[in-house]
């Protein structure tokens, strides 16, 4: 949603849904161009990559929190994946947003539905989900819920990292792989981003930084969870790409010189 502290122009109750819709249609058009003009020659695959966090109910005994977990996944992942796989938005989004959620024309639906040869999965962390009892705010984009790091019983979701939003939870990774696989008919999945930051890393000595046990344990535990998802849960994972130092060079903008 737009930052209204910087600009009063626009409408955060509608903008993100319009932008998301246009992104999906643009994706569908790009996939059609590739399939029509290049696929026969190159034999490649084309898909979409979506980010998603794992979820646990804040109070597992409260059906409303359990339901809110599903809604959180639908408002984040299924917002884009459901149109690609099913040709429509999730019912929970339609129910909450009404006419603010754009509708697909028949042409748009034909472009978007089926525009995936694989599912690209960016994933890092998990949250406890607590439902709200009030009516959703006009600019709500989560599904009328709270995302928390601590459960009702006081259990933490995972250790703190330098990224305030990122708390490692490997079981959540396995759970989410299974959820995606089951919802979308066991698609081929490529894990396109996965990794962690380290709290206070910039203040460590070189030797302490090189002894990177926190990050090593993250990858050990997450890869073990992935292996269980494949071997025991039947998830079709075709590749895994770690988020690393090299990925973040894209954030660096060198100073301009006249």
């Amino acid at each position: 949603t737009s930052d209204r502290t910087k600009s009063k122009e626009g409408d955060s109750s509608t903008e993100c849904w319009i932008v998301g819709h246009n992104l999906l249609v643009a994706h569908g058009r790009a996939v059609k161009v590739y399939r029509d003009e290049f696929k026969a020659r190159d034999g490649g695959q084309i898909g979409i990559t979506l980010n998603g966090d794992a979820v646990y109910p804040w109070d597992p005994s409260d059906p409303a929190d359990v339901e809110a977990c599903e809604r959180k996944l639908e408002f984040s992942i299924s917002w884009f994946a459901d149109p690609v796989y099913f040709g429509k938005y999730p019912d929970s989004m339609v129910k909450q947003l009404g006419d603010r959620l754009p509708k697909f024309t028949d042409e748009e639906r034909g472009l978007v539905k089926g525009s995936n040869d694989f599912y690209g999965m960016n994933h890092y962390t998990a949250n406890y989900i607590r439902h709200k009892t009030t009516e959703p705010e006009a600019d709500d984009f989560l599904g009328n819920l709270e995302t928390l790091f601590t459960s009702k019983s006081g259990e933490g979701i995972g250790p703190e990292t330098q990224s305030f939003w990122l708390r490692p939870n490997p079981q959540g990774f396995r759970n989410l792989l299974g959820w995606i696989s089951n919802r979308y008919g066991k698609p081929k999945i490529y894990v396109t981003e996965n990794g962690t930051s380290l709290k206070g890393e910039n203040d460590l000595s070189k030797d302490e930084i090189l002894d990177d046990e926190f990050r090593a344990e993250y990858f050990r535990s997450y890869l073990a969870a992935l292996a269980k998802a494949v071997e025991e849960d039947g998830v079709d994972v075709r590749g895994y790409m770690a988020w690393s130092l090299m990925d973040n060079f894209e954030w660096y903008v060198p100073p301009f010189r006249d």
Side-chain angles (χ1 to χ4, degrees):
T1 58
S2 300
D3 186 347
R4 296 299 170 222
T5 64
K6 297 179 180 179
S7 173
K8 301 301 181 185
E9 298 297 323
D11 182 358
S12 289
S13 71
T14 59
E15 287 171 341
C16 61
W17 316 117
I18 295 169
V19 170
H21 190 85
N22 289 336
L23 283 170
L24 280 164
V25 174
H27 162 77
R29 291 191 186 282
V31 170
K32 186 177 188 306
V33 168
Y34 178 77
R35 287 174 174 171
D36 289 350
E37 301 183 20
F38 301 101
K39 185 176 178 66
R41 182 190 69 190
D42 299 337
Q45 298 182 23
I46 188 166
I48 194 169
T49 291
L50 304 173
N51 188 78
D53 300 332
V55 294
Y56 297 90
W58 179 75
D59 180 359
S61 66
D62 187 342
D65 282 351
V66 175
E67 181 183 359
C69 283
E70 189 78 3
R71 198 163 61 248
K72 170 63 167 62
L73 294 176
E74 290 177 346
F75 266 72
S76 53
I77 294 172
S78 302
W79 174 11
F80 293 95
D82 271 23
V84 168
Y85 285 97
F86 306 140
K88 67 183 188 69
Y89 289 116
D91 291 343
S92 62
M93 294 183 69
V94 175
K95 180 180 179 180
Q96 177 174 318
L97 300 170
D99 292 339
R100 288 183 287 140
L101 190 64
K103 293 179 175 60
F104 290 102
T105 65
D106 290 341
E107 179 190 7
E108 290 172 343
R109 186 175 295 105
L111 286 168
V112 174
K113 186 179 180 181
S115 59
N116 234 29
D117 294 326
F118 61 87
Y119 184 102
M121 179 185 184
N122 288 1
H123 171 76
Y124 298 93
T125 190
N127 286 112
Y128 291 109
I129 304 301
R130 181 166 61 186
H131 75 284
K132 291 183 177 180
T133 57
T134 55
E135 288 296 310
E137 299 290 336
D139 60 354
D140 173 67
F141 58 90
L142 290 176
N144 201 32
L145 50 87
E146 295 178 272
T147 58
L148 304 168
F149 295 128
T150 306
S151 71
K152 182 180 181 180
S153 64
E155 183 178 358
I157 201 76
E160 290 186 31
T161 69
Q162 190 63 34
S163 308
F164 73 91
W165 51 268
L166 201 167
R167 305 285 182 95
N169 186 293
Q171 181 61 43
F173 183 35
R174 178 182 178 181
N175 295 348
L176 188 58
L177 281 164
W179 186 89
I180 291 168
S181 179
N182 291 332
R183 188 178 182 98
Y184 299 116
K186 298 190 180 301
K188 291 179 288 188
I189 297 175
Y190 290 88
V191 179
T192 41
E193 283 188 21
N194 180 240
T196 187
S197 57
L198 172 62
K199 190 172 180 64
E201 188 169 34
N202 290 342
D203 299 324
L204 299 178
S205 68
K206 182 183 72 172
D207 290 341
E208 289 172 319
I209 290 172
L210 292 176
D211 183 22
D212 199 5
E213 179 57 26
F214 184 86
R215 193 173 278 109
E217 175 56 26
Y218 180 96
F219 286 120
R220 277 194 297 265
S221 61
Y222 270 69
L223 286 170
L226 184 150
K228 289 181 179 179
V230 173
E231 295 171 3
E232 299 178 23
D233 306 334
V235 180
D236 186 4
V237 178
R238 300 296 182 95
Y240 174 92
M241 282 144 272
W243 181 47
S244 70
L245 166 70
M246 302 302 292
D247 293 304
N248 285 336
F249 279 115
E250 69 206 42
W251 294 5
Y252 174 69
V253 179
F256 291 101
R257 291 189 176 90
D258 293 334

